[in-house]
Amino acid sequence: MGGLTSAAGVVGFLSEPDPELQIFALRKLNEQIDTLWTEVAGSVGEIEALYEDPSFPERELAALVAAKVYYNLQEYNESMVFALGAGKLFDLDHEGEFEDTIISKCVDTYIALSGTAPPSNSSQPPAQLTTAFPSVTNGASSTSASLASPTTPFSQSTLPSKSLLSRQESSTFDPSLQAGGSLAVLPTSVASQSSVQRQLNDIINQLFERCYREGRYRQVVGIAVEARKLDVLRRTILRASEDEKRESKPVDADTIGRGEELMEYVLEICMEVVQEHGLRNELLRLILGLLHEIPSPDYFSIARCIVYLNDDSLASEILSLLVKKGDSKSLAIAYQIAFDFYDNSTQKFLKKVREELPASPDVPTSQSKDTEDAMEDANGENAQETDRLLQEPSDTSGDPGPSIQGSAERREPLSLEAAKAFDSIREILQGTKSIELDLEFLYRNNHTDTSILNKIKDSLEARNSIFHTAVTLANAFMHAGTTNDKFFRDNLEWLGKAVNWSKFTATAALGVIHRGNLGQGQKLLDPYLPKDTITGSNIGSAYSQGGSLYALGLIYANHETLALDVIREHFKKATEEVVQHGGALGLGVAGMATGDQGIYEDLKNVLYQDSALNGEAVGIAMGLIMLGTGNIKALEDMIQYAHDTQHEKIVRGLALGMALIMYGRQEGADELVSGLLDDPDSILRYGGIQTLALAYCGTGSNKAVRKLLHVAVSDVSDDVRRVAVMSLGFILFRKPNSVPRMVELLSESYNPHVRYGAAMALGISCAGTGLDEAIDLLEPMIKDPTDFVRQGALIALSMIMVQQNEAMNPKVGTIRKTLQKAIGDRHEDAMTKFGSALSMGIIDAGGRNCTISLQTQTGNLNMAGIVGMTVFTQYWYWFPLTHFLSLSFTPTSVVGLDQDLEVPSFKFHSATRPSLFDYPPEQETKTEDAPEKIKTAVLSTTAQAKRRAQKKEKQQRHESMDIDQTPTTPKISHIGDKMETDEPAAKTEEDKEGEKQDGTKKEGDEAKDSPAQSEGLRKKMEKEKVGYSLENMSRVLPAQLKFLSFPDGRYEPVKKPTGGVILLTDTTPSETKVLMELKARKNTKPAAAPETLQDRVTAAFNQQDTASGRVPESGGAAEAVGVLTALDEDAEGGEEAPLPNEFDYQSDEPQGEE
């Protein structure tokens, strides 16, 4: 029978009283509804009446026909309701657009219905700020009281609160919205009728069962997470494990089961997709419970959950459990987890874990008592950096029962082995072991090219303070953490030209160079530190004293030790504003995220002195101490004083300090952000953008991105617009590929501040990636007409190209030449030269062994790195803050330790060609790089006479000799030709070779040689053998980790290498092991403690003779003491004699004219 061409006759049967005719019509229409729906649409009311008639025998068929009619009308909500009423006639297994659309709509509705449930307690808003912000706005940013995006065209009330990007923020774009702007509004029939909801649940359950049968567990997991159905999520994970056991397939020991794989997947989306604190906490606790139920759980996944939850009691319990197992592998896992805790946690968290570990019998209790008293000063409700999860402290500690039992078990006597293991874990959690190994790695593998540094110094005039500071910063970054301060010792004359704040920055550079030198750091800086005025006069420059306190904080950065007390004591005694400035910065860096209320009060007392010089540093330090705590009292104090003071520098420091306090708080910072963005003061709006960036750093939040983009094009202040674009890098650094596309138009803005922000956003988000799309956007900005845009582009390029060689990115060579050219160009602006020098230091950071990373090796937020990058961007206003970038430098190493925490000598394998991840080649020394002397001019008549004489001499030789040969004195001819205005004569082979060595080629020649060099490098790589061995404690780039293997049968890693410290299990412990010598410890430990400057200099030279060519760490710092601590020439008496004489001379001249 042919198909129907018209539905008029069949539709007429629907009005017949005979049910059989009605059923016949429905069946015919169901078969060809896709072609006849236009004629049936007018009679859809009759079909609905048949469905609603309880006596009609084919109600489900009527519902199916009505669903298809509404589907073609694009009324998807009504179509879904009738499809649910169709019951079994709606076949989920049938493949078609109608079925797929309805299923998708059912899933969206299922998720949306779950969003109507009341939120959990953990997602309640935080305490409200009592300080009222000004209600008058400048009309530029046009911000509302909330963070609703002003760019979205949709109404807040119509958007369903179902997106995981922000559950309770209706401004978030809903991905389920259909094209054309139709909104996914729940129909009243679904929201009100329980029968429809039951049908919806039945469809969803059928869908889940089909996914189970087909092994698509991840789809069910995704729906369950979106819908907050933790029972479904738990059932899915258990079902996957049961199905795997039922199949009874042989499983390798190295492969993980389906259940474990699903838990890894849930953990991944929990940290990368879910942004609501309450839901994230619930998911993490669910995973934690499931992991404990597995016979052989993945302890590293458990540790990740504990870090995210910031649960110190669970952390101490898992470490105690592993240690008490007694076997060597469990002990190695405990040590590895302790190292992971240190890399991913705050000082406050680590301190609590150390206190809760079982104590050895011989450990005095006074120490633990002191630490308890110190911790009581901190705010108990303050959340920390890596968790960003805690909203209610009473719930995050887990069940109180296990903690109490654990404390009771700690009173049991420990065995000697267990006590030793707990002492080792405390040392690891203290951070001394990790810092010592990083210091050793950077010292051992230092590949700094000193010729580049000397080139920078020779090209920039040291008498200009900005250039002197640029060289200082380049030296500090190149030698960061290497303890090599040879450059200072070799250039004492240049160092002596530092005055005032240049001297402050140069002294602080010692802290960057010696960062992590915990054993000798304080002794190294002792000659620079402020001294008590015993004889009545304080000897030494206040700038070097302030810089030394700053340097001491950088050495012990994020490591709470006795140095913090030393800095605090000097800070409290200081009366000079410069010393207070350096002391405040040192306190903030060393006491980062400790929440120490005593230090905070000391800083606040200095702040209330209302000094612009030290007020900015104090504001930043207050934020560093309370980093991530969300301390309401501190915020109220800072907001109030920011409105009271008249100093812009103080307001700027407080604005950044408030942003640091809200680090990682996400929704908890929304009220503060709204208040700051509504403030008429542009500096506080600037701080509001920074608060938004740090609160949502690394989350990729669409809401935060929309707000930043809106402010970037609407605020009247260039500073606010600049930081708004720059902050995109902090939000999206986990998705670097998306940033170039987002800032592409902004990089071409008419406003140079917006262009600068776009450049820095690319550098921050794409740091260390070598991303081609980012480089393509930055290369044109190098030639921007505005100097500070060129500066930002060069700095961003160096961040992206850090640790890149020409095998990884062929453009790195060209970029390095561009940086060198900018430094040597006498016509270039000072700001661009400053950026170039800074970039040369960044691209070779840490002796070419460090990358810039805002996340840790295991994927967590790198608190110190993010804070360092944030404060570094303030170099725009204050150069000494540039040193904070060193906190973002992460050593790229693989350091293997055995169960005794010793460094064995062994090799591991890299399945790559050696040149792919090799160090960049050192720059060839340029012999003629210095400015050439102007040659003596030769008159044209003299040159012509010389040419005639030479020509006559040649003719005489030709007549007297049978064979032509090269003239014996070619230089005379060459000189004569060079002095002419015509083209020079052809160069000899020696000159050509010398020109190649000197590298003095034109830009066109470099462009021509670049493809040839790349081709030669490619051919060289093809000839190389794939695979080579690396010694322990070698440089391994992040991209190289996936190629590593450990073929050495003796040492096996306890987990997949992620960079940094890797614990190894010794398969043959009975054999004698060979250990690596720690050279940094040996060379930094002096034979005797010299007391005077002469003793220090003598000791430095003695060590130099016995260090096998390496310069000892204390040499440069010791010799620079006399230079840096000397009072500036204009510091004493400068106002008494020279100035009046100059005024007298100036006043006499106009009198003579009269």
Side-chain angles (χ1 to χ4, degrees):
M1 180 178 177
L4 297 175
T5 58
S6 176
V10 178
V11 170
F13 288 152
L14 295 175
S15 59
E16 293 290 332
D18 189 356
E20 293 184 1
L21 291 177
Q22 294 172 338
I23 294 172
F24 172 79
L26 289 174
R27 288 175 178 171
K28 288 298 182 182
L29 293 175
N30 184 45
E31 292 174 358
Q32 303 184 34
I33 193 65
D34 292 337
T35 58
L36 302 176
W37 68 270
T38 54
E39 300 179 60
V40 180
S43 303
V44 69
E46 299 179 11
I47 301 176
E48 290 185 26
L50 293 175
Y51 167 67
E52 294 172 357
D53 185 3
S55 62
F56 186 67
E58 292 289 343
R59 293 181 60 208
E60 294 181 348
L61 180 60
L64 183 62
V65 175
K68 292 183 178 180
V69 173
Y70 279 115
Y71 166 74
N72 286 283
L73 289 172
Q74 295 189 1
E75 294 290 342
Y76 300 120
N77 288 327
E78 298 297 331
S79 177
M80 179 197 66
V81 172
F82 286 105
L84 293 176
K88 296 181 179 179
L89 293 182
F90 179 64
D91 187 7
L92 293 177
D93 297 329
H94 183 270
E95 295 183 358
E97 292 184 2
F98 169 70
E99 287 77 11
D100 292 343
T101 304
I102 297 303
I103 290 174
S104 175
K105 195 65 186 176
C106 288
V107 172
D108 289 342
T109 307
Y110 178 74
I111 295 172
L113 284 173
S114 68
T116 61
S120 60
N121 293 333
S122 57
S123 60
Q124 291 179 353
Q128 300 295 311
L129 289 173
T130 59
T131 300
F133 286 91
S135 58
V136 180
T137 62
N138 66 337
S141 58
S142 184
T143 55
S144 61
S146 65
L147 275 180
S149 172
T151 60
T152 176
F154 304 126
S155 171
Q156 280 187 324
S157 60
T158 56
L159 285 174
S161 57
K162 57 183 284 294
S163 174
L164 287 177
L165 293 176
S166 60
R167 169 72 59 180
Q168 296 181 352
E169 292 127 11
S170 57
S171 61
T172 303
F173 177 73
D174 187 351
S176 67
L177 296 181
Q178 301 296 329
S182 60
L183 301 179
V185 182
L186 289 178
T188 56
S189 57
V190 176
S192 60
Q193 299 181 14
S194 59
S195 60
V196 177
Q197 295 186 20
R198 286 198 303 270
Q199 293 169 350
L200 177 64
N201 290 330
D202 293 340
I203 290 292
I204 295 297
N205 290 332
Q206 294 178 30
L207 180 64
F208 289 167
E209 286 296 330
R210 188 176 74 173
C211 292
Y212 293 154
R213 292 194 303 269
E214 297 175 359
R216 295 183 294 173
Y217 302 102
R218 291 196 173 193
Q219 294 187 9
V220 183
V221 167
I223 296 174
V225 172
E226 280 275 353
R228 305 174 66 104
K229 298 292 185 181
L230 301 186
D231 55 338
V232 175
L233 182 60
R234 180 183 178 87
R235 185 171 70 246
T236 302
I237 295 175
L238 296 177
R239 174 69 178 269
S241 300
E242 294 173 0
D243 292 346
E244 186 179 23
K245 293 178 182 178
R246 195 178 301 113
E247 293 175 2
S248 64
K249 292 183 179 179
V251 181
D252 298 336
D254 297 335
T255 59
I256 61 175
R258 292 179 185 173
E260 290 83 353
E261 182 182 359
L262 277 182
M263 282 187 280
E264 285 288 338
Y265 175 67
V266 173
L267 188 60
E268 179 182 353
I269 64 174
C270 181
M271 303 319 302
E272 296 183 3
V273 179
V274 180
Q275 296 177 13
E276 184 189 348
H277 289 174
L279 178 58
R280 183 181 296 176
N281 275 344
E282 294 174 2
L283 291 173
L284 289 172
R285 295 197 178 281
L286 173 65
I287 299 172
L288 201 58
L290 291 172
L291 287 170
H292 279 297
E293 295 177 5
I294 301 176
S296 298
D298 183 2
Y299 290 105
F300 298 110
S301 297
I302 295 177
R304 288 182 65 190
C305 294
I306 291 173
V307 169
Y308 292 138
L309 289 170
N310 199 46
D311 197 328
D312 51 272
S313 60
L314 288 178
S316 59
E317 287 174 11
I318 188 175
L319 292 173
S320 301
L321 176 65
L322 289 169
V323 170
K324 291 176 180 179
K325 282 190 174 183
D327 59 297
S328 59
K329 185 171 183 180
S330 297
L331 184 60
I333 293 175
Y335 288 157
Q336 184 68 66
I337 290 176
F339 278 110
D340 292 344
F341 281 159
Y342 173 75
D343 290 336
N344 299 287
S345 304
T346 62
Q347 297 187 53
K348 186 175 180 180
F349 174 84
L350 296 172
K351 197 171 191 178
K352 289 183 177 179
V353 175
R354 293 197 304 269
E355 292 172 359
E356 295 179 4
L357 288 176
S360 303
D362 55 344
V363 175
T365 58
S366 59
Q367 180 179 359
S368 61
K369 179 64 177 176
D370 294 339
T371 53
E372 289 176 3
D373 295 339
M375 294 309 300
E376 287 177 0
D377 293 337
N379 191 348
E381 64 181 4
N382 297 341
Q384 294 298 322
E385 144 278 350
T386 45
D387 59 289
R388 310 181 322 279
L389 305 168
L390 290 182
Q391 297 291 339
E392 41 183 0
S394 59
D395 294 338
T396 54
S397 59
D399 297 332
S403 299
I404 296 174
Q405 294 175 2
S407 61
E409 292 175 359
R410 295 187 195 105
R411 297 191 183 96
E412 299 177 0
L414 296 175
S415 63
L416 185 60
E417 293 78 7
K420 181 180 178 182
F422 283 122
D423 290 340
S424 299
I425 290 176
R426 286 190 186 87
E427 182 185 3
I428 296 172
L429 295 176
Q430 183 73 26
T432 53
K433 195 67 179 178
S434 296
I435 295 174
E436 178 187 10
L437 294 173
D438 287 341
L439 183 72
E440 174 66 27
F441 164 74
L442 294 174
Y443 176 83
R444 180 185 294 267
N445 297 280
N446 184 12
H447 280 72
T448 302
D449 191 350
T450 55
S451 63
I452 297 177
L453 196 56
N454 291 326
K455 161 70 176 176
I456 299 174
K457 179 183 70 68
D458 295 337
S459 301
L460 300 179
E461 177 56 52
R463 287 176 295 182
N464 192 331
S465 62
I466 185 176
F467 292 155
H468 195 286
T469 301
V471 178
T472 299
L473 295 172
N475 172 47
F477 289 160
M478 283 187 183
H479 294 97
T482 63
T483 70
N484 186 352
D485 49 19
K486 178 178 181 292
F487 181 78
F488 281 164
R489 190 191 65 180
D490 294 343
N491 298 278
L492 292 178
E493 182 181 356
W494 165 85
L495 191 62
K497 297 179 181 179
V499 294
N500 298 339
W501 289 105
S502 296
K503 184 173 293 186
F504 178 93
T505 306
T507 309
L510 292 173
V512 178
I513 296 173
H514 290 272
R515 185 189 171 193
N517 191 359
L518 304 181
Q520 301 295 320
Q522 188 172 345
K523 184 178 295 185
L524 187 82
L525 293 174
D526 184 65
Y528 298 89
L529 294 175
K531 302 294 189 302
D532 294 332
T533 57
I534 300 176
T535 60
S537 61
N538 191 3
I539 301 176
S541 171
Y543 293 95
S544 65
Q545 293 174 1
S548 65
L549 294 177
Y550 185 15
L552 195 60
L554 290 170
I555 291 178
Y556 297 91
N558 198 22
H559 184 72
E560 187 180 7
T561 57
L562 294 176
L564 187 61
D565 298 330
V566 174
I567 302 174
R568 183 179 179 184
E569 189 66 24
H570 285 295
F571 176 75
K572 292 167 67 175
K573 293 180 179 179
T575 56
E576 292 278 350
E577 292 182 342
V578 178
V579 180
Q580 290 177 337
H581 183 96
L585 293 177
L587 278 176
V589 178
M592 190 185 302
T594 57
D596 193 306
Q597 197 68 28
I599 298 178
Y600 172 80
E601 291 296 331
D602 293 339
L603 292 168
K604 189 170 67 171
N605 293 334
V606 176
L607 175 70
Y608 287 165
Q609 296 176 6
D610 202 40
S611 169
L613 187 60
N614 55 32
E616 182 177 17
V618 168
I620 297 173
M622 291 166 69
L624 289 172
I625 295 295
M626 294 294 177
L627 179 64
T629 61
N631 191 302
I632 300 298
K633 181 64 170 60
L635 289 173
E636 292 174 353
D637 294 341
M638 297 169 77
I639 293 170
Q640 185 63 43
Y641 196 77
H643 287 120
D644 293 342
T645 185
Q646 300 297 319
H647 298 291
E648 289 187 358
K649 290 175 69 67
I650 296 180
V651 177
R652 185 174 294 113
L654 291 173
L656 179 55
M658 288 186 283
L660 293 169
I661 292 177
M662 282 299 180
Y663 168 81
R665 303 289 293 180
Q666 297 189 23
E667 293 91 349
D670 286 355
E671 182 192 3
L672 177 63
V673 171
S674 299
L676 290 175
L677 290 182
D678 284 340
D679 199 283
D681 189 350
S682 62
I683 300 178
L684 287 180
R685 296 202 305 276
Y686 185 101
I689 294 298
Q690 290 181 313
T691 304
L692 181 65
L694 287 178
Y696 289 90
C697 60
T699 62
S701 171
N702 289 345
K703 177 192 67 176
V705 170
R706 282 202 302 268
K707 169 57 64 178
L708 292 175
L709 290 175
H710 171 70
V711 175
V713 297
S714 63
D715 200 278
V716 296
S717 171
D718 286 335
D719 288 346
V720 179
R721 299 179 69 178
R722 181 181 69 248
V723 75
V725 181
M726 187 192 308
S727 298
L728 291 171
F730 290 101
I731 304 292
L732 298 170
F733 68 80
R734 280 179 167 166
K735 303 174 183 177
N737 293 324
S738 63
V739 179
R741 184 177 66 254
M742 185 171 296
V743 303
E744 183 176 3
L745 294 178
L746 295 173
S747 66
E748 300 173 358
S749 170
Y750 73 93
N751 191 325
H753 292 268
V754 174
R755 298 199 300 271
Y756 173 88
M760 293 300 293
L762 290 170
I764 292 168
S765 60
C766 305
T769 62
L771 193 64
D772 291 332
E773 292 83 355
I775 297 171
D776 293 339
L777 288 179
L778 289 171
E779 283 181 329
M781 301 176 74
I782 298 176
K783 301 178 181 179
D784 194 276
T786 308
D787 52 359
F788 61 79
V789 177
R790 298 195 297 272
Q791 180 191 76
L794 293 173
I795 293 175
L797 278 173
S798 66
M799 291 182 182
I800 296 173
M801 284 299 190
V802 63
Q803 285 199 321
Q804 300 281 317
N805 58 21
E806 293 199 4
M808 300 170 66
N809 195 316
K811 292 185 178 181
V812 67
T814 305
I815 291 174
R816 285 180 176 272
K817 292 178 181 177
T818 302
L819 296 174
Q820 295 174 5
K821 179 184 176 184
I823 293 175
D825 189 356
R826 67 179 63 182
H827 302 293
E828 190 60 83
D829 293 318
M831 294 186 68
T832 307
K833 287 186 176 183
F834 177 86
S836 300
L838 207 61
S839 302
M840 294 297 291
I842 294 172
I843 202 170
D844 290 335
R848 297 182 174 178
N849 292 300
C850 289
T851 187
I852 296 177
S853 179
L854 302 188
Q855 54 184 339
T856 62
Q857 306 278 7
T858 54
N860 297 338
L861 294 182
N862 181 5
M863 180 193 69
I866 294 172
V867 171
M869 182 65 73
T870 303
V871 183
F872 160 73
T873 58
Q874 303 307 301
Y875 82 90
W876 179 279
Y877 303 103
W878 194 235
F879 284 153
L881 298 180
T882 311
H883 285 311
F884 270 82
L885 183 62
S886 62
L887 302 181
S888 301
F889 294 162
T890 303
T892 52
S893 62
V894 168
V895 181
L897 297 182
D898 59 11
Q899 295 95 323
D900 299 327
L901 298 182
E902 296 177 331
V903 186
S905 177
F906 76 101
K907 294 184 179 181
F908 52 93
H909 185 75
S910 176
T912 60
R913 291 182 171 88
S915 60
L916 181 58
F917 298 106
D918 198 8
Y919 288 97
E922 290 193 3
Q923 184 180 12
E924 296 178 354
T925 305
K926 296 182 180 181
T927 56
E928 297 180 2
D929 200 39
E932 297 181 358
K933 295 181 179 179
I934 300 176
K935 297 181 176 62
T936 304
V938 179
L939 298 177
S940 59
T941 54
T942 306
Q944 292 175 1
K946 286 184 178 181
R947 279 201 302 272
R948 285 195 297 268
Q950 292 170 3
K951 185 176 181 181
K952 184 181 297 184
E953 184 180 357
K954 289 181 182 178
Q955 290 177 354
Q956 293 176 355
R957 284 201 301 269
H958 286 311
E959 294 174 357
S960 61
M961 299 177 64
D962 297 331
I963 304 174
D964 292 341
Q965 65 182 16
T966 304
T968 56
T969 57
K971 292 183 180 180
I972 299 176
S973 175
H974 189 57
I975 293 175
D977 292 342
K978 283 181 68 176
M979 297 310 299
E980 283 294 304
T981 57
D982 298 332
E983 292 294 327
K987 298 178 181 179
T988 61
E989 292 298 320
E990 292 81 358
D991 294 334
K992 292 181 181 179
E993 184 67 20
E995 181 176 294
K996 290 182 181 179
Q997 291 179 356
D998 295 343
T1000 54
K1001 294 184 179 182
K1002 297 181 180 179
E1003 294 183 9
D1005 297 336
E1006 291 178 359
K1008 294 178 182 178
D1009 291 346
S1010 181
Q1013 293 176 357
S1014 301
E1015 182 68 19
L1017 181 62
R1018 187 181 64 81
K1019 291 181 179 180
K1020 178 184 176 182
M1021 290 183 60
E1022 290 178 354
K1023 294 179 182 180
E1024 288 180 342
K1025 182 180 178 181
V1026 177
Y1028 63 103
S1029 297
L1030 290 169
E1031 292 284 347
N1032 189 15
M1033 203 171 279
S1034 295
R1035 186 184 85 148
V1036 178
L1037 302 187
Q1040 191 179 1
L1041 289 170
K1042 57 186 177 182
F1043 300 105
L1044 294 187
S1045 60
F1046 291 78
D1048 189 345
R1050 179 170 183 177
Y1051 295 104
E1052 297 178 354
V1054 296
K1055 72 168 186 176
K1056 185 178 179 181
T1058 56
V1061 178
I1062 300 294
L1063 264 294
L1064 308 169
T1065 55
D1066 191 352
T1067 56
T1068 57
S1070 58
E1071 297 181 5
T1072 304
K1073 60 182 179 181
V1074 180
L1075 300 178
M1076 299 184 69
E1077 181 184 9
L1078 299 183
K1079 299 179 180 180
R1081 179 195 298 175
K1082 178 180 178 181
N1083 286 322
T1084 56
K1085 185 177 181 180
E1091 297 298 334
T1092 64
L1093 175 59
Q1094 184 61 39
D1095 292 339
R1096 289 179 177 272
V1097 175
T1098 305
F1101 279 108
N1102 292 338
Q1103 289 183 10
Q1104 181 184 8
D1105 297 336
T1106 60
S1108 302
R1110 284 195 179 272
V1111 179
E1113 288 68 20
S1114 60
E1119 293 207 15
V1121 171
V1123 176
L1124 291 177
T1125 59
L1127 293 174
D1128 297 333
E1129 294 180 359
D1130 59 345
E1132 32 178 335
E1135 299 178 357
E1136 297 178 1
L1139 292 181
N1141 290 337
E1142 293 178 3
F1143 291 149
D1144 290 341
Y1145 290 128
Q1146 291 177 0
S1147 61
D1148 289 338
E1149 292 178 359
Q1151 291 177 1
E1153 292 178 358
E1154 293 177 357

